[in-house]
Amino acid sequence: VLNYDEIKVDMEMNARRFDEAKDLGQKSLEALKINIEECKLKVKTLITEKTEGWLQLCIGVYEYAIEMAKGRIEDKELVKLLYKYAYFLLDERQFHLAEQPCNEALKIFCEMAIDAPSMYRPDVAATLNSLGILYKNNNRYEEAEKKYKEALEIYRELAIDDPVAYR
């Protein structure tokens, strides 16, 4: 029936397997983070060299890195990647593509601001402002005004606690 010695051996074997899998998962995560950094460097190289098709290559590299990162790296790392991609798209006047990563970044910043408002509310405001710029550049003035007002409200709240930083 239930042999305690067999149960202990089985439990130890399963615990060892779990530890090995956890170790492998950690090593894979670290390797993935290195790959994401390599993607960022590839984008910088493409921007610097500006060879034929560089813009589409940059977009492809960013989108692939983001897809591989989702659900695998921490949100605070993913949001940096999304934000960097959104700013790249805004800088390159690819407004039709910038809305999605801006909105994804905003969603993550809002979620993180629930637990750490002093740390992430400025990012929420900055992302709302970026969306305002994006909408303005696409002649979506009502949406732009709404985002600007939301950002301004947050900046005003932040200025109460730190008037020097937000004047």
Side-chain angles (χ1 to χ4, degrees):
V1 245
L2 291 177
N3 182 319
Y4 181 60
D5 290 332
E6 288 177 11
I7 293 170
K8 282 176 45 180
V9 169
D10 198 34
M11 192 181 311
E12 288 172 7
M13 183 178 63
N14 287 326
R16 205 171 21 260
R17 283 184 189 155
F18 178 81
D19 291 343
E20 289 169 1
K22 194 166 95 175
D23 185 49
L24 179 62
Q26 187 60 36
K27 287 177 183 174
S28 297
L29 178 61
E30 293 305 316
L32 180 62
K33 287 180 180 180
I34 290 168
N35 294 147
I36 290 168
E37 290 304 314
E38 290 170 339
C39 284
K40 290 179 189 176
L41 289 173
K42 179 63 178 175
V43 167
K44 285 182 183 179
T45 303
L46 289 167
I47 291 170
T48 302
E49 294 175 353
K50 294 200 181 200
T51 57
E52 185 177 336
W54 72 273
L55 182 58
Q56 286 309 110
L57 283 171
C58 287
I59 290 169
V61 169
Y62 263 126
E63 289 184 354
Y64 188 73
I66 290 166
E67 189 61 34
M68 292 296 102
K70 284 181 181 176
R72 294 182 176 97
I73 65 173
E74 291 182 23
D75 281 349
K76 65 183 179 182
E77 296 300 319
L78 175 61
V79 77
K80 289 177 192 175
L81 184 59
L82 285 164
Y83 203 64
K84 191 172 185 78
Y85 179 45
Y87 265 91
F88 165 76
L89 292 169
L90 289 171
D91 285 346
E92 297 303 324
R93 306 192 58 76
Q94 300 297 305
F95 304 124
H96 62 290
L97 297 174
E99 187 173 1
Q100 180 184 351
C102 271
N103 277 320
E104 286 184 55
L106 178 61
K107 181 179 182 243
I108 294 169
F109 279 137
C110 286
E111 289 169 0
M112 293 190 310
I114 292 168
D115 293 328
S118 62
M119 185 177 289
Y120 295 108
R121 294 277 289 160
D123 295 316
V124 171
T127 307
L128 286 165
N129 192 64
S130 296
L131 280 165
I133 293 167
L134 171 69
Y135 293 149
K136 178 187 70 82
N137 288 330
N138 280 316
N139 301 320
R140 294 162 61 182
Y141 299 114
E142 287 180 22
E143 291 170 277
E145 182 180 14
K146 182 180 177 208
K147 296 302 177 191
Y148 286 140
K149 284 181 177 179
E150 289 178 53
L152 183 59
E153 183 180 324
I154 293 170
Y155 283 130
R156 285 181 174 151
E157 291 169 6
L158 293 168
I160 293 169
D161 294 330
D162 191 351
V164 175
Y166 297 100
R167 46 177 161 167

